[in-house]
Amino acid sequence: MPRRRIYNPLTELLAAVLLVVLVLVVNRWEFSLAVLVLVVLLSGRPRQIGLAVALVAGPLLVSSLLLHGLFFPEGTTVLADLGVARVTAEGLTFAAVMGLRMTVFTAALLTAAMTLDIPDLLATMTHRGWNRKLVFVVGSAVGLIPHVAQRARRITRAQQARGLVVGRGPLSRGRALLTVLTPLVIGLLVDASERTRMLEARGFSSPGPRTSYLPDSDTARQRVARRAMVAVVGAFSAAWLLTATA
């Protein structure tokens, strides 16, 4: 069931960015884990967000465990000596903390990308007078994941209609994934090229004011709240860093 929209998409996107900043500043696994659980539960799509986070952050976590767990020069508590590599408790701890932080970053940004109302976000940025190229870059980046997921589903259904059978074995799944990835990547590149030509043909680079056909859903109260959020996070971050270095 989709989450009922309460705040403007710009407010939600800023909240996701500030959560990432707080996780970087606090740098404690308890806080990172709490933020991760909060983001997934409040997304309105816990199963979809959880699966997406696992698919994206899983390889990052594995690489962190292999890199820091086996090759951590500051490690002193050796759990296993493999000759060229040493498994140390300090390396595993550092890898787990770094992997958790990367998972939180992934969860916050994926939740924003998969739940935001992209047209409403772009309309708000246009009404606020943001640079048109910046608006296009932000809209493309945030809307890329839903667009890729939708196109992948269409390609999968088309390939299945042509006789694609996905077995249970890893080899069969690998071949099926290849038949989907190849047209997916080619289609995304073609779309990017066509979109560039369409934007230039419609005067995207020309100067002058822009008009949005969507009403501005932003409010003065939310604009004040966004400034207050930035000020509070900035003050908290400065106080936390000063306390940590004292």
Side-chain angles (χ1 to χ4, degrees):
M1 182 177 181
R3 175 174 56 85
R4 185 169 65 91
R5 190 157 301 283
I6 301 175
Y7 302 104
N8 183 269
L10 193 58
T11 304
E12 297 180 4
L13 183 61
L14 178 62
V17 174
L18 292 179
L19 279 178
V20 172
V21 173
L22 285 176
V23 170
L24 283 172
V25 171
V26 175
N27 194 21
R28 288 188 177 178
W29 71 267
E30 301 94 335
F31 181 76
S32 300
L33 183 61
V35 171
L36 177 62
V37 174
L38 181 68
V39 167
V40 174
L41 292 180
L42 295 183
S43 65
R45 305 177 184 176
R47 294 183 60 183
Q48 293 88 337
I49 296 296
L51 179 60
V53 170
L55 291 175
V56 176
L60 297 177
L61 181 58
V62 172
S63 64
S64 178
L65 287 173
L66 291 176
L67 178 62
H68 301 294
L70 299 179
F71 306 98
F72 194 71
E74 291 83 3
T76 57
T77 307
V78 180
L79 302 178
D81 192 348
L82 305 178
V84 295
R86 297 184 310 158
V87 180
T88 61
E90 293 81 4
L92 292 177
T93 302
F94 183 80
V97 172
M98 290 296 296
L100 180 59
R101 290 174 63 183
M102 290 187 293
T103 304
V104 175
F105 302 160
T106 304
L109 298 178
L110 279 179
T111 300
M114 297 177 66
T115 60
L116 285 180
D117 188 338
I118 307 301
D120 195 10
L121 173 64
L122 299 184
T124 299
M125 297 171 69
T126 301
H127 285 291
R128 298 281 75 78
W130 289 34
N131 182 275
R132 67 189 68 186
K133 294 183 179 180
L134 179 61
V135 173
F136 177 75
V137 169
V138 173
S140 300
V142 175
L144 181 61
I145 295 177
H147 175 67
V148 171
Q150 183 180 12
R151 179 178 284 270
R153 286 193 296 267
R154 291 178 179 176
I155 294 175
T156 302
R157 288 196 294 265
Q159 298 287 29
Q160 289 175 343
R162 295 186 178 97
L164 174 66
V165 178
V166 181
R168 295 184 178 181
L171 186 60
S172 175
R173 291 181 179 272
R175 286 197 297 264
L177 181 63
L178 185 61
T179 59
V180 174
L181 282 179
T182 302
L184 176 63
V185 174
I186 294 176
L188 291 175
L189 293 176
V190 172
D191 283 351
S193 177
E194 292 180 351
R195 190 177 303 173
T196 301
R197 290 197 297 268
M198 291 171 60
L199 289 173
E200 292 300 329
R202 286 160 176 78
F204 179 76
S205 301
S206 61
R210 295 189 63 195
T211 301
S212 175
Y213 291 100
L214 295 177
D216 188 5
S217 63
D218 198 11
T219 61
R221 182 175 300 178
Q222 291 200 53
R223 290 194 289 272
V224 173
R226 288 197 294 269
R227 297 189 184 97
M229 289 164 56
V230 174
V232 169
V233 171
F236 174 81
S237 301
W240 183 275
L241 293 176
L242 289 176
T243 304
T245 56

